Structure formats: C-alpha cells, structure tokens
Amino acid sequence: MVTEVVKASELHKIDPVFGQLSFDNHEQIVFCNDKDTGLKAIIGIHNTVLGPALGGTRMWKYTNEWEALNDVLRLSRGMTFKSAISGLNLGGGKAVIIGDAKVDKTPELITKFGEYINSLSGKYITAEDVGTTTPDMDLIRDVTPYVTGISEARGGSGNPSPVTAYGVYMGMKAAAKYQFGTDNLSGKKVLVQGTGNVGETLIKHLTAEGALVQMTDINEARLHEINAKYGAQIFTGDIYAADVDIYAPCALGATINDETVNKIQAKVIAGAANNQLAVEEIHGKILKDRGIAYAPDFLINAGGIINVYAEIVGYDSAEALRRTENIYNTTLEIFSFAEQNNITTHQAALSIAQKRIDDRKKENAK
Ligand code: NAD
C-alpha cells in the first residue's frame, strides 16, 4: 500500500505516460524497440479526427527517455492544431528516434522504423524533421507507403521551405494590414532572425517588395551571401530592442520570453520558428497588452505541411501555393476573432482549430 503523500509536481513520475505533463488526451503512443538495429523510437498519435496523424520524425540525442516522451507528446499535439487551422484533413502526430543521427543512424535502423510505421496501417504518416533527411524518407518508402517528403525523383514534393517562407510572408502581410492598415511592406523595417532555408526566401520576397530588411544569423558567411544576393543589411546589436516595425523569428523557438518580451519595439511579430512564445499564455498576453500584433507561428509556418499534404491527396504545387496564400485570410480572421473575444491571437488560433475538430467529430458521429 502506498502511504506516502505525493506532491502534485511529482505525479508525472508516477504515471509514466498518461500522467506526463504534456499528455493531452493523445489517442495512441507507440513504443518501438528493436534489439538488432538498436532502434528505440516513440510514435505519438495525438488526434485523428480530421484524418491520419501526419508529422515528421525527429532523431535526437535525448538525455533520457522522459525527455523523448515529453517531446513527442508536445510535438504531436502541435501538429493537430497546425493542420486543423490550415484546413487540412490531417490529424496530428510525430515520432522521435532516440539517438545521435550522426553516430547511431544506419539504413537498417531507419528501415526497421519504417516497418513500425507500416504496422500502423496509415494511422500515422511520417515526414522529415531534425535529424532525418530525404534519403531516410526514401528508405522508409521502400517498406511503407505512409511517408511524405520523399525525393522528387520518387514522386515526392521536394523541399518545403520555399512554400513555408511564402506562407510566413502572407501571414506577415496580414498582420501588417491589421496593425498598420496596409499590407504594403514597402518601406517597412523588418528584422529577420535566421537566414536559413526559410529566412532566405522570406528575405527574397521582402526585398522584392521594397521592405528595409535587416538580418541576423550566427553563421556570418551566410549573412554576407544573403547581403550580396538581396541587399539586406546585416544587423548588429540587441535584436530584441531593435527599432524595427516587424520582427521575424526564423531561427529558434522561445525567443519571446521573460528576458525579451518587454524590450521588443516591433509592432508586428511574424516568423517561421516553431514555439516562439516561451510560455504561450503568459508571453502571448504580454504581447497583447503591449499592442504588438503577433501572428501565431503554427498558423503562418504551415506552408510546409500544406505542401506535403499535396503528396497525399495528389493535387499539384499550384494548388498548394493557393492554399498557402490563404494563410493571409486566416491570419486576418484570427486577429479579428481575438479582438472580438478579448483573447490573444494564439488562443484565438487554438480555439478556431479546436472548433473545426469538434465539428468534424459531431459530423462523424451522425
Ligand atoms: P535552417 O536550419 O535552414 O535555418 C536556421 C538558420 O538560423 C541557420 O542559418 C542558423 O545559422 C540560424 N541560427 C541558429 N541559431 C541562431 C541564432 N541564435 N540567431 C540567429 N540565427 C541563428 O532552418 P529553416 O528550415 O530555415 O527553419 C527556420 C525555422 O522555421 C526553424 O525554427 C524551423 O523549425 C521552422 N520551420 C521550418 C519549416 C520549413 O519548411 N523549413 C516549416 C515550419 C517551421
């Protein structure tokens, strides 16, 4: 008999899965173990009301299994809302493989993982994420049809980043329309943090429109390359205190946090990075109170998944772009819904996504 009183903060250690802090009524969690290849993976299926759970496979050197489980629970939930708000008939899922992609990844391990995906008969569909590549997806395709992001040579949709960047650009224009009364970005000062795959294409669109773009990156060579291509200026100094109209986080998550949130001078935040708000409720609310228009990350960075969706339903890249362009309208709807209900834009986006899932659930039950 357990007589010890357990502190609330310790409960997640008692109930290893359903008691995890990030557990949010996930439908199914699959633990995959293969002694021969050393595969240890977890597939998280959060919700399949709108369709099969789609989300990438991350291979990461987690410090422990709790961390891996927490990551897959959190990421798979995020995918549910991203697809729902984007109007896609997809549910939310994600997978993590425990290990260092540079050291532990072998073709045998990836193939074995593909077999586990296949055993779920399409309830979960995978894609690339940190630590996995297009060639890995091609290997998985050898053993299961439930994979996207395979190479163009094998009928895949190719690199999603330009489409993601286009969606971010659309979301930024909508946020500018809401905040400044015009979506014309010509003459607007925009700071892009991170000039990788998405950041570069975003800068291309912005400079073409006449925005005054400044940029930061930890990779200095990259900054000089982008400067030479598009004329964007290299920013030095405190990014968060920068005197700009728009801040576009396109590098890492949680940049809007206790340290930065009150310094930000930009009137619009719109970027590609996932999980920009360190604590959604707290930092979203501070932005709202400070009158900063925040375009929810999971809405405006959905171009990539919209593109991948094309692989599943079989429509063409023009249709994927049209759907991505629609991020403009959805972002405006969210700003208006948030204002009417006096809630943050992040809460507004979550609530519209949840309503779509609830409505479909009712329809399915009829
Ligand atoms: P990327 O790896 O190609 O580029 C990231 C860039 O950020 C790199 O140039 C890197 O040097 C730079 N960087 C890293 N730390 C930095 C720091 N502290 N300050 C400034 N720059 C820094 O990644 P990407 O594909 O361009 O994606 C950018 C962000 O958007 C990521 O957070 C990613 O998760 C998110 N995202 C990407 C896609 C997509 O389709 N690629 C889709 C959805 C979300």
Side-chain angles (χ1 to χ4, degrees):
M1 197 173 103
V2 180
T3 50
E4 211 184 332
V5 177
V6 180
K7 281 195 223 143
S9 61
E10 301 284 298
L11 274 176
H12 66 286
K13 292 183 184 160
I14 305 287
D15 296 322
V17 179
F18 303 133
Q20 276 280 312
L21 293 180
S22 301
F23 184 78
D24 177 44
N25 285 308
H26 289 66
E27 288 177 15
Q28 193 175 1
I29 315 291
V30 183
F31 292 84
C32 317
N33 178 64
D34 182 64
K35 189 166 173 281
D36 294 344
T37 58
L39 174 74
K40 282 205 178 341
I42 315 173
I43 300 171
I45 298 174
H46 177 248
N47 192 291
T48 57
V49 170
L50 294 174
L54 191 144
T57 296
R58 179 167 292 190
M59 184 159 185
W60 192 254
K61 209 175 161 214
Y62 292 101
T63 341
N64 55 53
E65 290 170 17
W66 291 109
E67 202 181 282
L69 178 59
N70 189 54
D71 212 24
V72 81
L73 290 173
R74 203 177 51 82
L75 293 167
S76 55
R77 173 182 180 270
M79 292 308 296
T80 296
F81 292 110
K82 184 180 288 214
S83 287
I85 197 70
S86 307
L88 306 177
N89 288 324
L90 287 177
K94 201 90 180 183
V96 297
I97 299 177
I98 301 171
D100 185 339
K102 290 199 186 86
V103 180
D104 304 318
K105 193 161 69 178
T106 60
E108 293 75 20
L109 180 142
I110 292 294
T111 303
K112 194 62 176 175
F113 178 62
E115 288 171 10
Y116 275 101
I117 294 173
N118 198 49
S119 74
L120 293 169
S121 308
K123 195 168 181 185
Y124 169 69
I125 301 174
T126 200
E128 252 180 67
D129 198 75
V130 178
T132 58
T133 60
T134 308
D136 295 332
M137 297 307 119
D138 282 352
L139 273 178
I140 292 174
R141 183 66 189 85
D142 288 339
V143 290
T144 183
Y146 307 121
V147 52
T148 58
I150 53 174
S151 57
E152 282 177 282
R154 293 190 62 171
S157 59
N159 180 3
S161 303
V163 190
T164 301
Y166 187 59
V168 172
Y169 177 52
M170 289 296 113
M172 186 186 286
K173 280 175 90 63
K177 172 89 180 158
Y178 173 80
Q179 186 71 304
F180 307 124
T182 171
D183 64 15
N184 185 348
L185 300 177
S186 177
K188 288 278 181 287
K189 288 186 270 181
V190 186
L191 177 63
V192 179
Q193 179 184 32
T195 56
N197 288 313
V198 178
E200 173 174 357
T201 310
L202 178 64
I203 289 172
K204 185 178 92 178
H205 290 304
L206 291 171
T207 49
E209 191 174 337
L212 307 173
V213 180
Q214 300 180 68
M215 56 186 175
T216 67
D217 201 293
I218 48 171
N219 180 344
E220 209 160 308
R222 183 84 186 146
L223 288 171
H224 291 290
E225 191 189 318
I226 307 284
N227 168 267
K229 269 188 179 167
Y230 309 106
Q233 297 301 305
I234 300 173
F235 179 86
T236 50
D238 185 348
I239 297 166
Y240 306 102
D243 171 24
V244 290
D245 301 303
I246 301 172
Y247 162 50
C250 296
L252 41 147
T255 59
I256 302 156
N257 53 45
D258 285 347
E259 312 257 288
T260 62
V261 70
N262 283 307
K263 283 203 277 183
I264 293 172
Q265 297 303 306
K267 287 282 165 236
V268 164
I269 299 177
N274 283 312
N275 306 320
Q276 292 166 24
L277 302 171
V279 184
E280 292 168 7
E281 299 79 19
I282 297 175
H283 301 113
K285 172 83 168 47
I286 298 174
L287 292 180
K288 174 178 175 289
D289 292 346
R290 295 195 55 218
I292 297 171
Y294 170 70
D297 47 13
F298 69 94
L299 162 69
I300 74 166
N301 73 13
I305 190 152
I306 293 172
N307 199 48
V308 149
Y309 185 59
E311 260 183 62
I312 301 173
V313 292
Y315 60 67
D316 58 16
S317 58
E319 173 64 9
L321 265 188
R322 191 199 59 74
R323 278 176 174 258
T324 304
E325 197 162 281
N326 197 44
I327 287 177
Y328 180 95
N329 295 322
T330 314
T331 307
L332 279 180
E333 274 168 37
I334 277 158
F335 276 111
S336 145
F337 185 83
E339 197 174 294
Q340 281 162 19
N341 293 283
N342 194 24
I343 54 176
T344 69
T345 49
H346 190 86
Q347 287 166 322
L350 281 182
S351 119
I352 292 173
Q354 187 63 54
K355 182 171 183 314
R356 189 168 168 246
I357 296 167
D358 294 344
D359 288 351
R360 180 70 63 84
K361 202 170 176 180
K362 277 186 214 140
E363 267 170 46
N364 291 349
K366 276 181 201 161

